[in-house]
Amino acid sequence: MKRIGAGILAMLLAASVFAGCAAKPQESSAIETTPSAAETSAEQTEASKEAVIEPNAEPVDVRVSAMKGPTAMGMVELMDLVDRGEVSSNRYHFELLSAVDEIAPKIAKGEVDIAAVPANLASVLYNNTEGQVQTLVINTLGVLYICETGDAVHSVADLKGKTLYASGKGATPEYALRYILEKNGVNADTDLRIEWKSEHAECVAALASDPEGIALLPQPFVTAAQAKNDKIRVALDLNEAWNAIQNKDDASRLLTGVVIVRKQFAEQNPQAVKDFLEKYKASVAYTNANVAAAAALCGSYDIIAEPVAKKAIPLCNIVYIDGSEMKASLAGYLGVLFQQNPKSVGGKLPADDFYYGAE
């Protein structure tokens, strides 16, 4: 695969607004098995040879990376099972990273097989690797919220005349915000003042110093900020605002993260991909159904502090959406971003082969 240039990496770094802090790799071991060979007739021998060379007849190494934050939370049960030696179907190696400039080059250079990344980054990687990346599932819906310390905002229209502090300029937060404002008759350039910050922490600080200020923040950062300042309230859920402006003929969903796979790995190891998806789906279900236990795992893997994770998980919209539903939702979302700025999806919309297992 071709290397991603410095200019592309600069743009990708902006897409990492939902990531957390530093990471440590997690690895596991697995038991290897050897298929038996037939020693009777020539016909049986040929059949045996075919069985030996069948893809994934033996466990393989599966290198999985995820960015800290909501996109990694759904993996914690699977990571824990691997670390406790309870998974032998394949040899899984997990690594948690903090930013796009760490994860994108690994994917582009073939150093990672499967990765949880921001949704628009998947499209950027697809275009910049000439189609060598496919999306397996959507794993996180929108996690953006409008917050304030007062009680002035109850609708998108209420943002008129206000100052909004936000981070993520030139990335998904800006494009999603502009789309929602536009569809609600609010001009992002003239009807309100958007003050772009480099970090979420700066938005929270500005919110604390400006009693009339409003901030655009993602989960789980909202919950972490509320733990330090109980005056912060969620005024608008951008998921709800996004859904309210969709129509049946051209519907899309606000997304945060997806899980991607290297196309070559998927072609050479279809059973390994199937095995991962089955286990990952179960892990996502576990995270949503066992919040306290999943929060403890999030803390142990340094994804986010356990007390914050316990409150944030139900608000992080962690999902498992695959197949045709994945394609429809993701294609619609990328289409909205493309209209806002083609560079946000890598210059053009992905072809059908981008959507793994979708008809």
Side-chain angles (χ1 to χ4, degrees):
M1 295 185 183
K2 299 189 302 184
R3 286 197 171 202
I4 297 176
I8 294 296
L9 282 181
M11 181 182 71
L12 298 183
L13 181 57
S16 65
V17 295
F18 305 120
C21 304
K24 58 182 180 181
Q26 304 292 335
E27 296 193 355
S28 66
S29 59
I31 301 173
E32 295 193 26
T33 60
T34 303
S36 60
E39 299 178 349
T40 54
S41 67
E43 182 177 307
Q44 290 174 318
T45 300
E46 287 303 313
S48 178
K49 286 180 179 178
E50 290 178 4
V52 170
I53 64 173
E54 181 182 353
N56 295 24
E58 296 183 354
V60 299
D61 291 298
V62 184
R63 301 164 299 176
V64 184
S65 289
M67 293 178 62
K68 288 193 173 184
T71 57
M73 289 179 174
M75 287 189 182
V76 291
E77 191 218 16
L78 175 54
M79 292 166 59
D80 182 54
L81 290 174
V82 168
D83 284 342
R84 288 195 281 117
E86 296 186 19
V87 175
S88 60
S89 53
N90 288 295
R91 295 181 293 273
Y92 287 98
H93 310 271
F94 287 91
E95 184 178 32
L96 297 177
L97 301 173
S98 62
V100 173
D101 65 344
E102 293 180 272
I103 199 168
K106 288 176 175 286
I107 298 166
K109 291 186 290 187
E111 296 175 358
V112 169
D113 304 312
I114 295 173
V117 300
N120 70 308
L121 173 58
S123 179
V124 171
L125 286 169
Y126 173 87
N127 284 315
N128 284 281
T129 61
E130 299 181 347
Q132 293 305 305
V133 165
Q134 294 178 291
T135 296
L136 296 172
V137 299
I138 295 168
N139 69 350
T140 322
L141 299 179
V143 294
L144 289 169
Y145 298 84
I146 300 291
C147 300
E148 64 175 341
T149 54
D151 191 36
V153 177
H154 297 276
S155 70
V156 176
D158 290 339
L159 293 174
K160 288 185 177 181
K162 302 292 193 301
T163 295
L164 177 66
Y165 302 104
S167 62
K169 182 174 177 57
T172 296
E174 179 182 9
Y175 305 133
L177 176 63
R178 284 183 172 274
Y179 172 69
I180 290 170
L181 291 173
E182 176 189 346
K183 294 297 184 180
N184 282 273
V186 180
N187 189 307
D189 299 311
T190 60
D191 288 337
L192 73 160
R193 175 172 171 257
I194 303 176
E195 188 171 319
W196 293 101
K197 303 292 186 180
S198 60
E199 299 178 353
H200 306 315
E202 292 182 56
C203 296
V204 175
L207 198 60
S209 62
D210 181 359
E212 297 183 355
I214 304 162
L216 176 65
L217 296 171
Q219 285 288 5
F221 202 88
V222 173
T223 300
Q226 288 177 322
K228 297 179 180 179
N229 183 353
D230 60 8
K231 294 182 179 180
I232 295 176
R233 79 173 190 91
V234 172
L236 297 176
D237 178 344
L238 290 201
N239 278 295
E240 295 177 358
W242 184 289
N243 292 339
I245 56 181
Q246 302 306 304
N247 59 65
K248 294 181 180 180
D249 296 327
D250 188 28
S252 63
R253 301 172 81 170
L254 178 56
L255 308 178
T256 294
V258 299
V259 178
I260 60 175
V261 63
R262 286 192 302 109
K263 187 175 183 179
Q264 183 181 42
F265 180 84
E267 291 174 344
Q268 294 177 347
N269 304 280
Q271 289 302 118
V273 173
K274 180 181 179 182
D275 181 72
F276 168 78
L277 289 176
E278 290 174 350
K279 290 177 170 55
Y280 179 56
K281 185 176 184 178
S283 185
V284 168
Y286 177 90
T287 295
N288 287 321
N290 302 275
V291 174
L297 290 175
C298 287
S300 69
Y301 283 108
D302 196 28
I303 294 173
I304 188 171
E306 180 180 349
V308 174
K310 189 173 182 179
K311 294 181 179 180
I313 286 174
L315 304 172
C316 283
N317 295 313
I318 299 167
V319 296
Y320 181 101
I321 301 174
D322 61 6
S324 58
E325 184 181 357
M326 174 265 290
K327 180 179 179 181
S329 297
L330 181 54
Y333 170 74
L334 295 176
V336 170
L337 295 191
F338 180 81
Q339 292 174 7
Q340 295 285 321
N341 186 341
K343 290 183 179 180
S344 67
V345 297
K348 60 183 178 180
L349 293 173
D352 288 345
D353 66 334
F354 174 64
Y355 305 95
Y356 184 91
E359 297 180 358

